[in-house]
Amino acid sequence: MPKTRRRWPLPLAAAAGAPGAYAGLADYTGLPTFELPPFLAAGLFGAAIVGAAFLLSWAAEAAEVDVSAGVALAFLAFLAVLPEYAVDFVFTVRAGQTNCAPANGENPCELALANMTGANRVLVGIGWPLVVLVAAFVARRKPAKARDEPSIPAPGHVKLDRPMSIEVVFLAAATLYSLTLPLRTSLTLVDAAVLLAIFGLYAWRLTKAPVEEPDLDGTAAWIAEHDRRVRRLWLAGLFLAAAAVIVLTAEHFADAVVHSGEQLNIDRFLLVQWAAPVASEAPELIVACLYAWRLRASHALGTLLSSKVNQWTLLVGTIPIVFAVSSASLHGLPLSEHQRYELLLTAAQSLFAVSLLANLRLSLWGAAALLTLFAVQFATSILLSDAANRVVILALSGVYLLSAMALLMAQQRQARTVTKDGLSSVWVTSSG
């Protein structure tokens, strides 16, 4: 592809992000701006996030020239998940400042946890299946190219690269600890210390993964072809620009989606639990779909897997700290009975997701199971009363946990291999 054709997507992506970034910046600087109806605002800020997602995907791919794919994807996941941090921290700060005192019939503590649990379940229940479906669609359209892609052993299957055992192992560790959270009455600083320690070990382990020569094309290849100094300037500029757009637009995008739903008379708690997370998860979902569309299916699923590790360790671990600072106390974030049910379901779904990756593959049936079970919980949360919905949550949690145990028992050998690879201090670089 000629260099000019590989360069032109960069200004297009930047142009898509500029209006939303300006509108977000105007709120902090007093620049001239104008009010938009919620639906138009959602479109404006959504377009900005799409543009930022393209910038992130190109930068992350090009960065593989200098660092391992795992480190590049982890950094990409951290930047892409910034909207979720922004939205969750806003709710947590409000909870700390009000000491969880209900206002207008809403408990800010419940809203903070609803957003966090909803985001985690959206990521796994929609994001992971979406990657498999997009990869399967493209593989069937381009069968010759798909046959040369080791991350797609067959249409409808996504195979993770062996170094991504690290993500699977540390997600498993965080998930096993998270299964204790529904037994508590608060999310404490002790929980923060444990989860942040898991994230720290995960980040350290990633640095031990090998740097391998990436197979790049298009805009990412054009960036990578520059000499080292210029390439790193490009990477720093793209990462910073994308992160700035995401930070400036994420909260506005989520608010616009929520306000759009309110105009349609949808319950605000449900909007915070489902609509806002879909909005805040948009960057990583878009990036993952871009990877899948280019048949880099392992990177596509790896991005979402790294985001899940990030959210289930760093994000959840930071929430009690934000609450403690905003409330000027050492108290943990209170957990209502309903939120303990939500945490149980989220942790159970996470364990089932880990069990599906015990052999570093996600099949079409596995993706279908994730999507179907998510659809059930989504529908029942809208249609049923709180009491009836809790029965469904317990039933779904049981399905997730029993299915996870059955899968792990059936794949003990593969699970042991993945665990060894994920924890080994000396990495074996041969692909698996």
Side-chain angles (χ1 to χ4, degrees), residues 154-410:
H157 287 69
V158 171
K159 181 181 178 182
L160 289 170
D161 293 335
R162 192 172 179 182
M164 290 178 187
S165 300
I166 299 171
E167 278 81 2
V168 176
V169 168
F170 282 94
L171 177 57
T175 297
L176 290 174
Y177 182 79
S178 71
L179 286 169
T180 68
L181 299 181
L183 305 176
R184 323 284 183 75
T185 57
S186 63
L187 196 60
T188 68
L189 293 176
V190 174
D191 298 319
V194 173
L195 292 171
L196 292 179
I198 293 174
F199 178 80
L201 290 171
Y202 161 65
W204 172 81
R205 182 68 187 91
L206 282 177
T207 64
K208 304 301 179 182
V211 178
E212 298 178 351
E213 188 68 28
D215 181 18
L216 303 177
D217 59 13
T219 304
W222 178 80
I223 297 169
E225 286 170 0
H226 290 83
D227 65 65
R228 186 175 183 180
R229 180 175 175 276
V230 175
R231 180 175 65 247
R232 290 189 171 183
L233 287 174
W234 266 107
L235 293 177
L238 290 175
F239 277 130
L240 287 173
V245 171
I246 288 172
V247 169
L248 290 171
T249 59
E251 185 182 347
H252 296 285
F253 184 36
D255 284 342
V257 170
V258 170
H259 293 154
S260 298
E262 288 175 338
Q263 289 192 351
L264 299 174
N265 295 318
I266 301 175
D267 180 74
R268 181 173 171 80
F269 183 88
L270 293 176
L271 290 169
V272 169
Q273 185 171 40
W274 299 124
V278 169
S280 61
E281 298 291 344
E284 63 242 64
L285 294 178
I286 294 169
V287 169
C289 287
L290 291 175
Y291 275 130
W293 189 261
R294 295 199 291 267
L295 286 178
R296 301 197 72 186
S298 178
H299 281 57
L301 185 56
T303 299
L304 298 185
L305 178 57
S306 186
S307 292
K308 174 64 176 175
V309 177
N310 194 300
Q311 290 189 21
W312 214 214
T313 55
L314 188 60
L315 174 59
V316 179
T318 310
I319 286 176
I321 298 174
V322 173
F323 180 81
V325 172
S326 60
S327 64
S329 72
L330 296 178
H331 299 305
L333 179 72
L335 299 176
S336 68
E337 183 181 5
H338 178 70
Q339 286 309 312
R340 292 202 294 274
Y341 277 89
E342 295 286 345
L343 282 169
L344 172 63
L345 181 58
T346 308
Q349 183 206 46
S350 184
L351 187 64
F352 178 60
V354 168
S355 71
L356 289 173
L357 298 180
N359 60 357
L360 292 185
R361 295 190 183 204
L362 183 58
S363 65
L364 191 58
W365 78 262
L370 286 172
L371 186 59
T372 300
L373 291 170
F374 175 82
V376 171
Q377 60 188 267
F378 174 76
T380 55
S381 69
I382 295 174
L383 300 175
L384 300 182
S385 66
D386 284 346
N389 190 40
R390 289 178 185 180
V391 174
V392 174
I393 287 176
L394 288 175
L396 285 174
S397 298
V399 171
Y400 278 132
L401 294 173
L402 291 174
S403 300
M405 287 188 286
L407 283 169
L408 290 172
M409 289 179 64

Side-chain angles (χ1 to χ4, degrees), residues 80-212:
V81 86
L82 283 177
E84 183 55 36
Y85 279 82
V87 174
D88 236 330
F89 286 179
V90 167
F91 286 123
T92 305
V93 168
R94 291 173 185 170
Q97 291 173 342
T98 61
N99 290 313
C100 295
N104 300 319
E106 295 174 344
N107 186 322
C109 285
E110 288 198 348
L111 292 181
L113 287 166
N115 187 261
M116 181 271 290
T117 55
N120 272 274
R121 300 213 296 270
V122 163
L123 185 65
V124 174
I126 294 180
W128 290 22
L130 188 61
V131 163
V132 175
L133 292 174
V134 171
F137 174 76
V138 178
R140 284 189 168 89
R141 284 187 60 206
K142 303 176 181 178
K145 185 176 180 181
R147 282 195 294 271
D148 296 329
E149 174 51 57
S151 66
I152 305 178
H157 287 69
V158 171
K159 181 181 178 182
L160 289 170
D161 293 335
R162 192 172 179 182
M164 290 178 187
S165 300
I166 299 171
E167 278 81 2
V168 176
V169 168
F170 282 94
L171 177 57
T175 297
L176 290 174
Y177 182 79
S178 71
L179 286 169
T180 68
L181 299 181
L183 305 176
R184 323 284 183 75
T185 57
S186 63
L187 196 60
T188 68
L189 293 176
V190 174
D191 298 319
V194 173
L195 292 171
L196 292 179
I198 293 174
F199 178 80
L201 290 171
Y202 161 65
W204 172 81
R205 182 68 187 91
L206 282 177
T207 64
K208 304 301 179 182
V211 178
E212 298 178 351

